[in-house]
Amino acid sequence: MATPQTPYEAVLHAARDVTRLDSALDAEMLGAALLGSVYSVAETDRDNAVREFVGGFLATTSRRRSAAATTIRAVFAALVPDAEGAGKVRPGALTPAWTGQLGRVHLTGVWAYGDVYGDQTSYLATFAYDEADGGPEHAMVALVDHNIGIIKDVYVGGPAERILGQVREMCTEDELTWFRPEDGGRMHAEVARHLAVTDDLSELPAQGSLATDRALVGARLAALPAPAVRTGAGATEPLTDERRTTLLRGFLDSPEAARFGLDAVDGPELPSLHFCLGLLLDHADSFTDADPMRWSPTVAELFLLDWVHRRAVLDMDDAAMLPRVLRAWAAYAARWKGLPEAAARRTDEAIEEMIPEFARLYSTGERRSPATAAVAQLMADGVDPDDPAALDAWIEANRHRLTDDTA
């Protein structure tokens, strides 16, 4: 066969054996994998790129009458029903019997599971075809990473009972994980919300089946109940001044603050204490779902070894105080959330292990942003940032260092 001349011809060639598949599920998985190549190479708005590709494919192949062509057209129309021309696609006379079951599924169960810290939540839904020749009951799993605010991976496969059993067993054996039935509308809302962010990434997560299964995940989301309105922890807003004050007072009166000697801080150390506490709350506000009480080994690492160096200028008193404040706050937050003792201990041990690297990064300043580095130098030179004349003079004298000249 001649080398395909267009992407559409390449897809037709790749789908030449689609009619030999055993079920609608197998065909939908093949179709999603083919569209995954479009999704993965798009630079932005990947979901729309797939939609436009399917619309173009359907228009270009509208006169194709082979069994493979008419079948893969039906598959794509079922996977991306909002693509232009999808509603006009009809199965051909030579298409397999299971073609009529493409996309015809109903929901059979919804669950969620994740780590007790709240770093990640996985949503699991199971589906069955309306007729047996559509294929076996299968599962869709979507992993939400709350630290980066995206869908980190998705998976569609079966049999559903085996996948559900493996998840139950994993969560039963690990005291730092949880598992529960979930509302289908909430799953729909959370997965769709995070997928919208993921679709616009310039670079996708390196591992997993996000690209190959994305189109099928979109089709299965449509079979879930309508997205639920976000409430409670899922609809958090940046902390108000009043809420910040309440949180800080509660912490300073806590046994965790006393254990780390923070209840007795006074005199010259007091400004550093309040500055460090403010940094913890500012870091929490930097997440899409802001929660000042969500601290894990991973969140602590993001804060202590990255965020604080890029976003804050610490003097020596602040640098000496910050790890102690973080350990106390993380312990307080763990008790406030009712985390297992093992979870609190793991976070505290992780922070303690990070302190030498934190001190090194503070000393070298290698992770400072240009703006933070400039402010640090300003303070080191003894310039009062509230004195406009002194500030202008310093900027003029150091303009060569403030200019990002990489030529």
Side-chain angles (χ1 to χ4, degrees):
M1 179 178 176
T3 302
Q5 298 299 308
T6 69
Y8 302 138
E9 292 290 340
V11 166
L12 283 172
H13 179 68
R16 61 192 180 278
D17 293 327
V18 64
T19 58
R20 299 182 182 180
L21 297 176
D22 295 329
S23 66
L25 177 59
D26 289 342
E28 288 179 293
M29 293 179 71
L30 170 64
L34 293 174
L35 295 177
S37 60
V38 179
Y39 184 83
S40 63
V41 300
E43 295 182 354
T44 58
D45 200 5
R46 298 170 187 272
D47 187 42
N48 188 57
V50 170
R51 187 180 303 109
E52 290 182 350
F53 179 87
V54 170
F57 178 86
L58 296 178
T60 302
T61 60
S62 61
R63 296 184 179 276
R64 298 296 182 101
R65 295 293 182 265
S66 70
T70 54
T71 301
I72 197 62
R73 281 169 51 80
V75 170
F76 282 176
L79 289 172
V80 193
D82 55 346
E84 185 174 355
K88 299 178 181 179
V89 173
R90 298 292 181 268
L94 302 178
T95 56
W98 47 252
T99 306
Q101 286 299 304
L102 289 168
R104 296 182 179 275
V105 298
H106 56 270
L107 183 67
T108 57
V110 184
W111 296 266
Y113 59 99
D115 63 274
V116 296
Y117 299 111
D119 285 339
Q120 296 182 334
T121 301
S122 290
Y123 294 94
L124 189 161
T126 54
F127 303 89
Y129 282 90
D130 295 345
E131 300 293 342
D133 58 356
E137 187 175 7
H138 52 283
M140 176 186 83
V141 182
L143 170 60
V144 176
D145 190 311
H146 299 289
N147 292 330
I148 50 181
I150 67 168
I151 296 289
K152 198 168 185 179
D153 197 11
V154 295
Y155 170 76
V156 179
E161 185 176 353
R162 175 179 58 81
I163 294 173
L164 184 59
Q166 289 174 341
V167 170
R168 287 183 188 273
E169 182 178 3
M170 175 188 70
C171 294
T172 299
E173 294 176 350
D174 186 351
E175 67 172 325
L176 299 186
T177 62
W178 54 267
F179 176 90
R180 66 168 184 250
E182 185 57 274
D183 176 74
R186 176 173 173 78
M187 175 179 175
H188 194 161
E190 290 301 296
V191 174
R193 178 168 68 93
H194 289 91
L195 266 180
V197 178
T198 309
D199 288 342
D200 209 34
L201 293 175
S202 59
E203 184 175 345
L204 295 174
Q207 298 178 338
S209 51
L210 178 60
T212 56
D213 288 9
R214 170 63 180 89
L216 187 48
V217 167
R220 291 300 179 265
L221 280 178
L224 292 173
V229 177
R230 297 179 66 209
T231 59
T236 51
E237 299 291 340
L239 292 170
T240 63
D241 290 342
E242 181 179 3
R243 175 64 175 152
R244 290 169 76 102
T245 298
T246 300
L247 282 172
L248 295 181
R249 285 176 177 171
F251 166 70
L252 292 173
D253 288 338
S254 72
E256 290 80 14
R259 174 151 56 97
F260 286 90
L262 301 178
D263 59 331
V265 170
D266 202 354
E269 284 189 317
L270 195 58
S272 285
L273 172 60
H274 287 284
F275 179 63
C276 291
L277 287 171
L279 291 176
L280 297 181
L281 299 184
D282 290 345
H283 180 253
D285 271 346
S286 70
F287 291 103
T288 302
D289 294 323
D291 182 357
M293 311 308 279
R294 186 173 73 82
W295 288 89
S296 66
T298 300
V299 175
E301 181 178 357
L302 290 171
F303 171 75
L304 202 60
L305 301 186
D306 183 63
W307 185 90
V308 75
H309 301 282
R310 294 185 292 102
R311 300 293 297 272
V313 177
L314 309 176
D315 61 24
M316 294 185 65
D317 291 336
D318 302 332
M321 177 74 69
L322 188 58
R324 181 160 53 121
V325 172
L326 176 57
R327 291 180 68 188
W329 184 274
Y332 171 67
R335 179 172 63 84
W336 190 88
K337 279 185 168 288
L339 298 188
E341 182 180 343
R345 183 171 61 252
R346 183 176 295 184
T347 301
D348 185 66
E349 291 172 351
I351 295 171
E352 192 170 17
E353 291 175 359
M354 295 174 202
I355 293 176
E357 179 64 6
F358 164 76
R360 188 190 71 80
L361 292 171
Y362 169 73
S363 177
T364 65
E366 63 192 66
R367 290 196 177 167
R368 287 175 178 164
S369 66
T372 302
V375 174
Q377 187 61 50
L378 184 76
M379 295 173 60
D381 291 346
V383 177
D384 181 0
D386 294 325
D387 183 339
L391 188 58
D392 288 345
W394 184 88
I395 291 175
E396 185 61 34
N398 291 274
R399 191 172 299 279
H400 63 289
R401 290 194 299 182
L402 299 177
T403 302
D404 185 17
D405 182 8
T406 58

